[in-house]
Amino acid sequence: MTVLRLTLRSLRAEVARMVMSTVAVVLGVAFVAGTLIFVDGMRAGAYDRAGTFDRHTDAGIYAEREPIDPTLVDRVRALDGVRAAEGELTDTAGVVGSDGRPVLGFGVLAAVPTDPALQSYDVVTGRLPVRTGEVVLDRRTVDDQSFRLGGTVRVGGAAGAARPYTLVGVVDVADTPRDIGGPFVGLVGADALAVTGWSGYGRIMVAAEPGITETELAARLADVAGAGTTVRTRAEILDAAVADAVRDVDQFHLVLLTFAAVAVVVAAFVIGNTFTIVLAQRTRRTALLRLVGATRGQVFRAAVLESAVVGLAASALGVLVGTGLAAALTALVSRLDMPLRGELTVTGGTVLGCLVAGTALTVAAACVPAWQGTRVAPVAALTDAAVQVTRPAGRVRLAGGAVVLAAGTAALAGAASAGQIMLVALGGVLSFLGIVLFGPVLVPALVRVLGSPLRRILGVTGALAVANAVRNPRRVAATATALVIGIGLVTSFLVGAQSTKVAIERTVDAEIGVDFLVTGIGVDLPAGLTGALAARPELGVVHESRTRTVDDVEYRTVHPALVGDRIEQVVAGQLDRLAPGRILVDRELAQRRGWSAGDRVTLRSQPFEVAAVVDGLAAGGTGSAVPPGHAVGLVDTDHRRLFPDERGFQAEIDPAQGVPDGTARAAIAAVLVDYPTVNLLDQAAYKRMLTSTVDMLLAFVVALLGLAVVIALVGVANTLSLSVVERTRENAVLRAVGLTGGRMRAMLAVEAVLTALVGAVLGVALGTGVTAGAMALLARLAGEFTLVVPWARLAGVLAVALLAALSASVLPARRALARPVVEALADQ
């Protein structure tokens, strides 16, 4: 009870000093709690959505690699005990809107069962299709396009141009796996096969006759299913649906928790530093307790119990804030029509886990300063020298930190030559640990260097600010290090994103030498599209990029008018000899096969002549199924002859000689009206499309890491506030000898700015170093990557950190000036 009373009295006395550390815990726990609650809701929604379209399915036959032959559906339907059987597939399709333009968004096409025994769609109006030529659409698409039942809707897919279908019904697929933002298209099985170009179904859905168990049904299906298929019972179907639905949620969960962990680590630095300062300021009080009989263990337990109470209270508040955050995210996701969504779900396990984690974090961060605070002898603690705990870091720590920092720098520098991505990660971790360990020397040295101009500009005020900032090296190092984590990660992503975008743009400039590109929306180009484009007289070059890998050789289409800009060197032969019946061969493959320019060779039973041996036809290597330099280039007609079913992912188009770009674009657009699953882009738009994903990812990451930076800046304000309390009499003396209120504010502002600036500079250096190692490695593997530093954005990061530090100095300055000078001089 003595320890408890001591703890409660300390808390009442120090409540104001614990506010900022409490904020750090609240923010960290709120991030974790918000993530867990939000994801719990998404997971619950995923479970609810799983099996939406299998409400009447008792068993199924699933294709493993090749589609299921449609004739198997009839054989299954004829089995004893089978009430109904339907083939199903899901793929991508597009809808031509009422204005003649493709409906935006990634469209999902599904084969809808015609037998009522298997139908699980919620029909809003009309009915489901029962014969060829009929279609159902989702409610959002119908409303947006003002389609009417009985009207004509044009639907297109990979098999070719859009075809007209009669709209017979509207279905509700909202919040289901088939609602991913674009239109939903439901056709009978035969039409679905025709639109997608599939040769068979992805699965066969089966309903059982009454009295037949799903196990019995599955056994009978296994007898006729044949090789290359898997039979699943209803329970197995639902389990697989749940696994698919939850997999994306779990991956998203892992990403969010990673950023939450960063925030928690930063909060731990802030909390540990706070307790170090607070307990140091209680040194005299602790000494008096020891002199009147309190044991060292009692004092330590009181400090730990105090941290537990603070941690528990802050964690409870963090859970409440996190719940509000999760509710806001859930509402936002529901409005954005994202495929991952759910309802607010707060579980007892999440609440308890967050309370335990937040309390444990606070206690763990406070244990070391609590233990160190009890090591001072009671009599020594009563002297003025004991009030300012400026114990330098140990030599072992500093020596180890220097070695670790050097090892991390060496790992980053050597990652490219070693070709190991793990060296980049190891170098980053070691460099950060080196900064932590060597910080008590490194950070004060940087404060002096960066503060030197301010000393000359501000005179005594600047000199006092620098001296105050470095008087406790361990404290300023811990405060700055908290910023290093967040700003280092932000910098790493900023530099990495900019470098990646530049690499993408360079690749486009090197490989795309045409004015226009036509790309598929999530699918390959539809059959017949390039033929329709090539038939337009306004267009000159129309090249469909297609590749097929067979026996470690990549067969790719090349166009005589474009290939000259894409290869690195002609080793032998002449590029202008490329024509039907003649091929280009990469040097490595030619050496392996013993081919030379002019040789007659056989490819897939077809004779060809080697027009030229070249370098750089296809990169291959890392991430590719083809060894470097093992590629063959063929003109479109030859490639189509060898691989008639192969589709391309994009078409490159140039206007015909003398045709203006605007006329060529209009000609392309006129053809694409019949192909709603493709996009028309020029080079600039193509670059924007490729880099937009990088920008979205960067915004997402920086927003999440922003909380870690905020917590670190809270630490700056906390340290400064507690330092002001610690220097009450010292500040009073300065005011007594003539330091004005404005100069006092300036002194504290400079102190805060220098601390934040050093942390930000170290963070920028660490993040840039890690990204430089990664880019050097990628440049060695892929060739187009190079380090590009976004100086303006990094300057913005530094500016935000400095402005926040200035703001953090306002309240401490107000507190320093609030007490009368005489009263402050008498402070004990």
Side-chain angles (χ1 to χ4, degrees):
M1 293 301 293
T2 302
V3 172
L4 180 60
R5 286 197 299 271
L6 176 61
T7 300
L8 294 177
R9 289 175 181 174
S10 296
L11 282 173
R12 285 195 296 269
E14 307 285 358
V15 63
R17 302 185 186 186
M18 288 297 182
V19 168
M20 298 302 282
S21 60
T22 301
V23 171
V25 179
V26 169
L27 292 176
V29 172
F31 199 168
V32 176
T35 296
L36 294 176
I37 293 170
F38 177 58
V39 173
D40 282 345
M42 294 171 64
R43 184 177 288 108
Y47 276 96
D48 291 340
R49 293 190 298 272
T52 299
F53 303 104
D54 284 303
R55 284 174 282 186
H56 306 298
T57 304
D58 296 313
I61 301 175
Y62 288 75
E64 294 178 354
R65 292 183 178 85
E66 298 298 325
I68 297 172
D69 193 310
T71 60
L72 182 58
V73 178
D74 295 329
R75 296 202 301 273
V76 170
R77 195 177 287 134
L79 285 177
D80 185 33
V82 172
R83 181 183 177 189
E86 296 272 1
E88 185 191 56
L89 64 86
T90 55
D91 200 8
T92 299
V95 176
V96 178
S98 55
D99 59 356
R101 299 178 180 178
V103 177
L104 298 178
F106 191 89
V108 174
L109 177 144
V112 176
T114 59
D115 195 313
L118 286 168
Q119 291 175 347
S120 298
Y121 287 86
D122 295 325
V123 179
V124 177
T125 183
R127 59 174 175 82
L128 295 176
V130 294
R131 61 182 64 89
T132 58
E134 296 179 342
V135 66
V136 292
L137 298 176
D138 63 288
R139 177 163 49 186
R140 181 178 58 238
T141 299
V142 171
D143 291 343
D144 291 346
Q145 299 297 323
S146 300
F147 289 138
R148 295 289 181 266
L149 290 182
T152 299
V153 175
R154 298 170 64 211
V155 176
R163 310 174 190 179
Y165 294 86
T166 302
L167 181 65
V168 298
V170 180
V171 295
D172 182 10
V173 295
D175 298 332
T176 71
R178 293 176 188 176
D179 174 24
I180 57 175
F184 169 79
V185 180
L187 301 170
V188 298
D191 283 344
L193 293 173
V195 170
T196 61
W198 283 31
S199 60
Y201 297 109
R203 69 167 180 162
I204 298 176
M205 308 162 61
V206 184
E209 292 282 4
I212 302 297
T213 66
E214 61 181 55
T215 304
E216 292 174 326
L217 180 61
R220 296 178 185 183
L221 294 177
D223 292 335
V224 300
T229 61
T230 300
V231 177
R232 295 177 185 171
T233 63
R234 174 174 177 76
E236 291 170 338
I237 291 173
L238 294 180
D239 288 343
V242 167
D244 289 339
V246 173
R247 185 180 298 114
D248 292 338
V249 175
D250 287 342
Q251 292 173 350
F252 189 54
H253 184 197
L254 181 61
V255 170
L256 289 180
L257 281 183
T258 300
F259 291 104
V262 173
V264 168
V265 170
V266 174
F269 275 91
V270 174
I271 298 164
N273 207 28
T274 299
F275 275 95
T276 299
I277 301 171
V278 169
L279 293 176
Q281 292 172 355
R282 291 187 199 160
T283 303
R284 281 183 177 158
R285 188 188 310 168
T286 302
L288 289 174
L289 290 172
R290 298 277 301 282
L291 288 175
V292 297
T295 66
R296 180 179 176 184
Q298 286 178 316
V299 174
F300 175 76
R301 289 194 295 273
V304 171
L305 182 58
E306 179 181 346
S307 68
V309 173
V310 171
L312 182 61
S315 299
L317 184 56
V319 170
L320 292 177
V321 175
T323 302
L325 177 64
L329 286 174
T330 301
L332 176 63
V333 167
S334 65
R335 291 188 177 185
L336 294 179
D337 291 326
M338 293 176 60
L340 297 176
R341 66 186 70 178
E343 297 181 355
L344 189 67
T345 304
V346 182
T347 64
T350 295
V351 173
L352 181 60
C354 290
L355 292 177
V356 171
T359 304
L361 170 71
T362 309
V363 171
C367 277
V368 173
W371 175 71
Q372 290 176 341
T374 61
R375 296 176 62 192
V376 182
V379 175
L382 290 174
T383 65
D384 285 338
V387 176
Q388 301 289 344
V389 181
T390 57
R391 183 170 58 86
R395 293 181 179 178
V396 174
R397 169 181 171 171
L398 295 177
V403 171
V404 171
L405 182 57
T409 304
L412 291 175
S417 58
Q420 296 292 325
I421 190 64
M422 288 303 298
L423 271 183
V424 176
L426 180 63
V429 172
L430 290 179
S431 298
F432 172 71
L433 289 178
I435 291 174
V436 173
L437 296 174
F438 197 61
V441 170
L442 180 62
V443 172
L446 288 174
V447 168
R448 292 187 180 95
V449 171
L450 297 176
S452 179
L454 295 177
R455 286 199 298 267
R456 289 194 293 269
I457 295 172
L458 300 178
V460 175
T461 303
L464 287 172
V466 173
N468 285 335
V470 301
R471 69 164 56 187
N472 193 318
R474 294 164 65 100
R475 178 185 302 172
V476 71
T479 305
T481 301
L483 264 174
V484 171
I485 302 173
I487 291 184
L489 289 172
V490 169
T491 300
S492 181
F493 280 100
L494 284 174
V495 177
Q498 187 65 27
S499 300
T500 301
K501 289 173 63 176
V502 170
I504 290 172
E505 291 172 351
R506 288 176 178 172
T507 301
V508 172
D509 290 336
E511 296 187 0
I512 307 298
V514 295
D515 292 339
F516 301 103
L517 290 167
V518 173
T519 62
I521 304 175
V523 292
D524 289 335
L525 296 179
L529 171 61
T530 52
L533 290 169
R536 297 290 304 217
E538 301 93 337
L539 307 180
V541 173
V542 177
H543 171 59
E544 182 176 351
S545 302
R546 287 172 290 162
T547 60
R548 171 70 72 86
T549 299
V550 179
D551 298 331
D552 293 337
V553 176
E554 182 181 87
Y555 296 84
R556 60 184 303 138
T557 56
V558 291
H559 195 285
L562 304 176
V563 68
D565 297 330
R566 303 185 182 179
I567 64 170
E568 299 172 4
Q569 179 185 3
V570 178
V571 178
Q574 295 179 321
L575 287 181
D576 57 11
R577 298 191 69 244
L578 177 65
R582 294 175 180 164
I583 62 173
L584 303 180
V585 182
D586 254 330
R587 187 211 308 248
E588 289 80 358
L589 180 61
Q591 291 174 345
R592 179 181 174 185
R593 300 284 179 91
W595 296 344
S596 301
D599 287 354
R600 302 291 296 181
V601 300
T602 301
L603 300 176
R604 298 183 60 79
S605 303
Q606 299 290 327
F608 292 93
E609 179 185 340
V610 178
V613 177
V614 299
D615 273 338
L617 187 59
T622 303
S624 172
V626 181
H630 281 60
V632 171
L634 308 96
V635 296
D636 290 350
T637 54
D638 286 341
H639 196 282
R640 194 176 301 113
R641 179 160 52 95
L642 295 183
F643 308 104
D645 297 328
E646 188 68 36
R647 303 268 17 103
F649 59 92
Q650 69 181 23
E652 301 167 83
I653 306 171
D654 260 342
Q657 185 70 28
V659 175
D661 285 352
T663 303
R665 177 184 286 275
I668 299 171
V671 173
L672 298 191
V673 166
D674 294 327
Y675 297 90
T677 59
V678 297
N679 272 332
L680 170 61
L681 304 167
D682 55 25
Q683 270 208 33
Y686 186 55
K687 290 178 181 178
R688 288 195 299 270
M689 182 190 74
L690 295 178
T691 58
S692 61
T693 302
V694 178
D695 289 331
M696 282 194 304
L697 178 62
L698 178 63
F700 174 73
V701 168
V702 170
L704 293 178
L705 289 175
L707 181 62
V709 177
V710 169
I711 295 174
L713 290 169
V714 166
V716 174
N718 196 19
T719 300
L720 194 60
S721 295
L722 296 175
S723 296
V724 165
V725 174
E726 187 176 76
R727 301 198 302 257
T728 299
R729 283 191 293 172
E730 178 182 326
N731 289 336
V733 170
L734 291 173
R735 292 167 63 193
V737 297
L739 189 70
T740 64
R743 287 183 175 272
M744 176 69 72
R745 294 187 182 91
M747 181 184 73
L748 294 175
V750 170
E751 184 178 346
V753 165
L754 286 175
T755 303
L757 180 61
V758 170
V761 167
L762 286 174
V764 168
L766 177 62
T768 303
V770 171
T771 307
M775 290 300 118
L777 176 60
L778 290 174
R780 180 185 177 191
L781 299 176
E784 294 295 337
F785 285 89
T786 185
L787 183 68
V788 180
V789 180
W791 296 109
R793 289 189 174 186
L794 294 184
V797 170
L798 292 176
V800 169
L802 298 185
L803 289 175
L806 282 174
S807 301
S809 70
V810 173
L811 289 179
R814 184 176 298 173
R815 173 178 293 181
L817 296 171
R819 298 180 68 181
V821 173
V822 176
E823 181 183 331
L825 286 171
D827 184 76
Q828 295 294 326

